[in-house]
PDB file of all heavy atoms in Angstrom:
ATOM      1  N   PHE A 111      31.781  26.384  48.196  1.00 96.00           N
ATOM      2  CA  PHE A 111      32.018  25.433  49.287  1.00 96.00           C
ATOM      3  C   PHE A 111      33.516  25.228  49.508  1.00 96.00           C
ATOM      4  O   PHE A 111      33.961  25.071  50.644  1.00 96.00           O
ATOM      5  CB  PHE A 111      31.301  24.109  49.025  1.00 96.00           C
ATOM      6  CG  PHE A 111      29.815  24.224  49.212  1.00 96.00           C
ATOM      7  CD1 PHE A 111      28.923  23.689  48.304  1.00 96.00           C
ATOM      8  CD2 PHE A 111      29.301  24.896  50.317  1.00 96.00           C
ATOM      9  CE1 PHE A 111      27.548  23.818  48.480  1.00 96.00           C
ATOM     10  CE2 PHE A 111      27.934  25.032  50.512  1.00 96.00           C
ATOM     11  CZ  PHE A 111      27.060  24.494  49.583  1.00 96.00           C
ATOM     12  N   LEU A 112      34.280  25.265  48.432  1.00 96.00           N
ATOM     13  CA  LEU A 112      35.732  25.174  48.579  1.00 96.00           C
ATOM     14  C   LEU A 112      36.243  26.330  49.444  1.00 96.00           C
ATOM     15  O   LEU A 112      36.994  26.140  50.402  1.00 96.00           O
ATOM     16  CB  LEU A 112      36.381  25.223  47.189  1.00 96.00           C
ATOM     17  CG  LEU A 112      37.905  25.212  47.167  1.00 96.00           C
ATOM     18  CD1 LEU A 112      38.434  23.858  47.623  1.00 96.00           C
ATOM     19  CD2 LEU A 112      38.444  25.533  45.781  1.00 96.00           C
ATOM     20  N   MET A 113      35.789  27.539  49.130  1.00 95.00           N
ATOM     21  CA  MET A 113      36.218  28.737  49.865  1.00 95.00           C
ATOM     22  C   MET A 113      35.771  28.663  51.321  1.00 95.00           C
ATOM     23  O   MET A 113      36.559  28.924  52.240  1.00 95.00           O
ATOM     24  CB  MET A 113      35.606  29.964  49.168  1.00 95.00           C
ATOM     25  CG  MET A 113      36.012  31.290  49.747  1.00 95.00           C
ATOM     26  SD  MET A 113      37.399  31.987  48.840  1.00 95.00           S
ATOM     27  CE  MET A 113      37.635  33.550  49.685  1.00 95.00           C
ATOM     28  N   LEU A 114      34.514  28.288  51.544  1.00 96.00           N
ATOM     29  CA  LEU A 114      33.961  28.312  52.900  1.00 96.00           C
ATOM     30  C   LEU A 114      34.539  27.206  53.763  1.00 96.00           C
ATOM     31  O   LEU A 114      34.881  27.417  54.930  1.00 96.00           O
ATOM     32  CB  LEU A 114      32.434  28.171  52.853  1.00 96.00           C
ATOM     33  CG  LEU A 114      31.662  29.372  52.314  1.00 96.00           C
ATOM     34  CD1 LEU A 114      30.177  29.051  52.230  1.00 96.00           C
ATOM     35  CD2 LEU A 114      31.885  30.583  53.218  1.00 96.00           C
ATOM     36  N   LEU A 115      34.626  25.996  53.203  1.00 95.00           N
ATOM     37  CA  LEU A 115      35.000  24.838  54.025  1.00 95.00           C
ATOM     38  C   LEU A 115      36.510  24.675  54.126  1.00 95.00           C
ATOM     39  O   LEU A 115      37.020  24.284  55.168  1.00 95.00           O
ATOM     40  CB  LEU A 115      34.369  23.561  53.451  1.00 95.00           C
ATOM     41  CG  LEU A 115      32.845  23.549  53.467  1.00 95.00           C
ATOM     42  CD1 LEU A 115      32.299  22.324  52.732  1.00 95.00           C
ATOM     43  CD2 LEU A 115      32.312  23.576  54.895  1.00 95.00           C
ATOM     44  N   ALA A 116      37.233  24.985  53.052  1.00 94.00           N
ATOM     45  CA  ALA A 116      38.677  24.744  53.089  1.00 94.00           C
ATOM     46  C   ALA A 116      39.466  25.982  53.494  1.00 94.00           C
ATOM     47  O   ALA A 116      40.468  25.871  54.185  1.00 94.00           O
ATOM     48  CB  ALA A 116      39.155  24.255  51.719  1.00 94.00           C
ATOM     49  N   PHE A 117      39.014  27.177  53.065  1.00 93.00           N
ATOM     50  CA  PHE A 117      39.825  28.376  53.315  1.00 93.00           C
ATOM     51  C   PHE A 117      39.367  29.139  54.556  1.00 93.00           C
ATOM     52  O   PHE A 117      40.137  29.387  55.465  1.00 93.00           O
ATOM     53  CB  PHE A 117      39.796  29.325  52.108  1.00 93.00           C
ATOM     54  CG  PHE A 117      40.296  28.712  50.826  1.00 93.00           C
ATOM     55  CD1 PHE A 117      40.073  29.336  49.606  1.00 93.00           C
ATOM     56  CD2 PHE A 117      41.007  27.509  50.823  1.00 93.00           C
ATOM     57  CE1 PHE A 117      40.530  28.783  48.424  1.00 93.00           C
ATOM     58  CE2 PHE A 117      41.469  26.953  49.636  1.00 93.00           C
ATOM     59  CZ  PHE A 117      41.221  27.585  48.442  1.00 93.00           C
ATOM     60  N   ILE A 118      38.096  29.533  54.580  1.00 93.00           N
ATOM     61  CA  ILE A 118      37.644  30.474  55.609  1.00 93.00           C
ATOM     62  C   ILE A 118      37.341  29.762  56.928  1.00 93.00           C
ATOM     63  O   ILE A 118      37.755  30.197  58.000  1.00 93.00           O
ATOM     64  CB  ILE A 118      36.432  31.281  55.095  1.00 93.00           C
ATOM     65  CG1 ILE A 118      36.882  32.153  53.928  1.00 93.00           C
ATOM     66  CG2 ILE A 118      35.839  32.131  56.210  1.00 93.00           C
ATOM     67  CD1 ILE A 118      35.805  33.015  53.335  1.00 93.00           C
ATOM     68  N   GLN A 119      36.629  28.667  56.849  1.00 94.00           N
ATOM     69  CA  GLN A 119      36.294  27.856  58.020  1.00 94.00           C
ATOM     70  C   GLN A 119      35.715  28.691  59.161  1.00 94.00           C
ATOM     71  O   GLN A 119      36.168  28.628  60.300  1.00 94.00           O
ATOM     72  CB  GLN A 119      37.514  27.070  58.501  1.00 94.00           C
ATOM     73  CG  GLN A 119      37.995  26.087  57.451  1.00 94.00           C
ATOM     74  CD  GLN A 119      39.226  25.322  57.855  1.00 94.00           C
ATOM     75  OE1 GLN A 119      40.036  25.803  58.662  1.00 94.00           O
ATOM     76  NE2 GLN A 119      39.391  24.127  57.331  1.00 94.00           N
ATOM     77  N   ALA A 120      34.714  29.493  58.867  1.00 91.00           N
ATOM     78  CA  ALA A 120      34.030  30.279  59.890  1.00 91.00           C
ATOM     79  C   ALA A 120      33.165  29.356  60.740  1.00 91.00           C
ATOM     80  O   ALA A 120      32.918  28.211  60.371  1.00 91.00           O
ATOM     81  CB  ALA A 120      33.165  31.344  59.221  1.00 91.00           C
ATOM     82  N   THR A 121      32.750  29.830  61.927  1.00 90.00           N
ATOM     83  CA  THR A 121      31.779  29.066  62.710  1.00 90.00           C
ATOM     84  C   THR A 121      30.501  29.889  62.830  1.00 90.00           C
ATOM     85  O   THR A 121      30.578  31.026  63.298  1.00 90.00           O
ATOM     86  CB  THR A 121      32.311  28.747  64.126  1.00 90.00           C
ATOM     87  OG1 THR A 121      33.223  29.777  64.493  1.00 90.00           O
ATOM     88  CG2 THR A 121      32.919  27.392  64.225  1.00 90.00           C
ATOM     89  N   PRO A 122      29.355  29.348  62.439  1.00 94.00           N
ATOM     90  CA  PRO A 122      29.229  28.121  61.641  1.00 94.00           C
ATOM     91  C   PRO A 122      29.749  28.355  60.218  1.00 94.00           C
ATOM     92  O   PRO A 122      29.867  29.497  59.806  1.00 94.00           O
ATOM     93  CB  PRO A 122      27.724  27.878  61.646  1.00 94.00           C
ATOM     94  CG  PRO A 122      27.115  29.238  61.769  1.00 94.00           C
ATOM     95  CD  PRO A 122      28.040  30.032  62.629  1.00 94.00           C
TER      96      PRO A 122
END
Side-chain angles (χ1 to χ4, degrees):
Chain A
F111 287 135
L112 177 69
M113 183 95 178
L114 289 176
L115 297 173
F117 301 166
I118 295 181
Q119 297 178 333
T121 28

